[in-house]
Amino acid sequence: MPLTESLPPQPGSAPERAIPGPAGLPVLGSMLDLRRDSLSTFLRAQREHGDVVRLEAGPPGLRSVFHAVFAPEGVQQILASRAANFRKDHPLYEEVRQAFGNGLLTSQDADYLRQRRLVQPLFTKRRVDGYASAVTTEAAGLADRWRTADGGTVDLVPEMNRLALRTVSRILFGLDAEAAVDAIHRCAPVINAYVVRRAYVPVKIPREWPTPGNQRARAATDELNALCDRIVADRRASRETAGDADGAGEDLLSLLAAAGNDEDGSLDATEVREQVLIFLLAGHETTATSLAFTLHLLARHPEEQTRVRDELDRVLGDRTPTAADLDRLPCLAQALKESMRLYPAAPVISRRAVAAAEIGGFRIPAGADVVVAPWVTHRNPELWPDPERFDPRRFDPEPEAARHRYAWFPFGGGPRACIGQHFSMLESVLALAVLLRAYELDAVDEEVPVSAGITLQATGPARVRLRPRAGAGE
């Protein structure tokens, strides 16, 4: 939709600096470039026009105008220090809200604060560390299954997607994990593609119209809602039957259903379902991306793979990793962080400005759609020398401490930072530890093409050849 442009300068005031940006095509602006490859378009815009860029997309009368901010200082203003002025009113979040409900990812204001207070106790370090055995159990099961892989080769993209989905489903649902995995594996891609497509078209067909796309998305959404509603009802019934003293389930869904306090009350069945859907879809896709690209990058860089494996052998020996090992595996954590720099699971983060704001010496108008892009900031050569090179030592303590807080922000930042940061890091480190102790990996595919959806999507295979390690295994 057309946006409110900056007001004309008042008499006697200094003229505003025009925000630079690509000219694009005469009629469509940058629309085709953004549709073909939005990540490369943003990267090129920063390198050609600077750290605050104005882009236009679409024909006259239906043209979208938005502003991209790439410097860490500007990112910090948008996500943290002036977060109240940059809200989740962007069309993408509205489509996610329509598809998955008003959970933590999309809620705002009083709704968000209430939900955060209710859910936060479920994501304390102590609580999350208790999920470690679920992570290692699923990872060990995958390592065993890989021993019969066809030709000793696997594609890390679907393999890590299923591992992360099984893990988060086990933690959320307990014994209902398998049914949830099958439904989400089938329905999530349909909904994700629908959400992204609707978010960026200039004219939206009403959701109620019986078009094939609307009907497919509705069927997929209804199936996931029914699954979650059934499991939520079962959990509530089990708690009422067993009573609190019995601890009727320590899976995350049982804890969500029981969450409450005097100030905020509790989550009703619809709110629980909306939180569960967000945790399932956002949680598993982001972790799967980090796992797949960390393993693939290590497969492409055998010297770094050896460095990580030597650390695992030294610290773990033959025992199963635990939550207490998270701080004892710095080389593995550095490799994970470097892969999240190169392949951030949330490559672009969107907001909308409430009031005009000055960022980087330019005036962002009220009502403007604004994006920050980890994909671009993480590749700024002034922040990251030779930015396309995989170098986990960038995250040695000294260089990491010297960098701007928002030079690396795969989990966002500020008051809306990802509530599951510790869970994601724990799951990733432990799963990687189990798999890398069991196998040496050789890359089959050198490069993996990607695109930006709700999360970063691999659009090609990330195959590796597996070499079982002598004496390895759980």
Side-chain angles (χ1 to χ4, degrees), residues 19 210-211 225 348 380 411 421 424:
I19 300 176
T211 66
N225 285 344
V348 179
N380 185 334
F411 296 108
Q421 288 184 51
S424 178

Side-chain angles (χ1 to χ4, degrees), residues 78-90:
I78 291 166
L79 297 184
S81 61
R82 304 178 71 175
N85 191 54
F86 294 95
R87 294 167 50 83
K88 287 192 169 184
D89 291 333
H90 187 275

Side-chain angles (χ1 to χ4, degrees), residues 203-474:
V203 179
K204 294 177 175 58
I205 295 173
R207 287 173 171 269
E208 297 76 19
W209 289 12
T211 66
N214 281 349
Q215 290 177 321
R216 283 193 298 270
R218 171 54 58 191
T221 302
D222 288 347
E223 181 174 352
L224 289 187
N225 285 344
L227 170 73
C228 289
D229 286 344
R230 175 179 62 77
I231 297 175
V232 169
D234 289 347
R235 285 295 182 276
R236 288 191 183 277
S238 67
R239 292 191 70 86
E240 291 172 1
T241 300
D244 291 340
D246 199 289
E250 283 296 300
D251 55 80
L252 190 55
L253 178 53
S254 294
L255 298 171
L256 268 175
N261 59 49
D262 292 339
E263 178 184 357
D264 301 304
S266 61
L267 299 169
D268 63 29
T270 298
E271 290 177 310
V272 171
R273 177 229 291 162
E274 291 172 347
Q275 303 301 338
V276 165
L277 283 174
I278 291 297
F279 295 158
L280 276 172
L281 297 164
H284 96 266
E285 287 190 351
T286 53
T287 302
T289 297
S290 299
L291 290 171
F293 281 106
T294 301
L295 290 173
H296 191 256
L297 285 164
L298 289 172
R300 290 173 55 194
H301 298 84
E303 71 288 352
E304 295 295 343
Q305 187 179 167
T306 298
R307 177 173 175 252
V308 167
R309 191 173 288 106
D310 287 347
E311 176 183 76
L312 292 172
D313 291 343
R314 182 175 66 255
V315 172
L316 299 177
D318 293 329
R319 67 177 175 82
T320 300
T322 69
D325 293 311
L326 195 60
D327 294 330
R328 299 170 184 160
L329 299 170
C331 294
L332 178 54
Q334 288 169 7
L336 172 62
K337 288 180 177 181
E338 176 70 343
S339 76
M340 294 168 75
R341 179 186 72 83
L342 287 166
Y343 296 98
V348 179
I349 300 170
S350 307
R351 295 288 190 269
R352 178 167 288 176
V354 176
E358 183 173 315
I359 296 180
F362 295 97
R363 186 175 186 270
I364 305 295
D369 286 325
V370 181
V371 300
V372 296
W375 182 269
V376 177
T377 305
H378 291 185
R379 284 171 165 75
N380 185 334
E382 295 182 5
L383 304 170
W384 308 95
D386 194 6
E388 296 294 339
R389 177 169 53 90
F390 177 65
D391 181 7
R393 289 173 180 81
R394 299 181 199 270
F395 291 91
D396 282 342
E398 187 174 345
E400 186 173 27
R403 278 192 296 269
H404 193 285
R405 161 64 183 85
Y406 286 88
W408 183 82
F409 57 109
F411 296 108
R416 301 300 300 252
C418 176
I419 196 173
Q421 288 184 51
H422 179 61
F423 173 65
S424 178
M425 292 298 292
L426 177 79
E427 179 183 357
S428 297
V429 168
L430 295 185
L432 290 167
V434 170
L435 297 174
L436 288 166
R437 285 176 61 215
Y439 294 96
E440 295 180 19
L441 309 179
D442 300 316
V444 175
D445 301 297
E446 281 300 309
E447 298 292 337
V448 182
V450 296
S451 65
I454 297 177
T455 59
L456 188 70
Q457 303 290 316
T459 56
R463 292 170 296 180
V464 296
R465 191 170 294 106
L466 304 170
R467 287 186 285 133
R469 299 185 69 210
E474 298 301 318

Side-chain angles (χ1 to χ4, degrees), residues 13 43 134 136 202 266 335 366 404:
S13 65
L43 193 61
T136 54
S266 61
H404 193 285

Side-chain angles (χ1 to χ4, degrees), residues 25-76:
L25 298 173
V27 176
L28 298 179
S30 297
M31 185 178 76
L32 297 182
D33 286 338
L34 289 166
R35 284 190 176 179
R36 278 193 294 260
D37 188 349
S38 61
L39 298 178
S40 292
T41 301
F42 286 133
L43 193 61
R44 187 168 58 250
Q46 189 273 334
R47 292 182 178 172
E48 293 178 358
H49 301 286
D51 286 325
V52 181
V53 179
R54 183 179 188 274
L55 296 100
E56 301 182 7
L62 296 172
R63 179 159 292 185
S64 297
V65 178
F66 61 97
H67 300 76
V69 176
F70 302 120
E73 296 80 7
V75 173
Q76 182 171 17

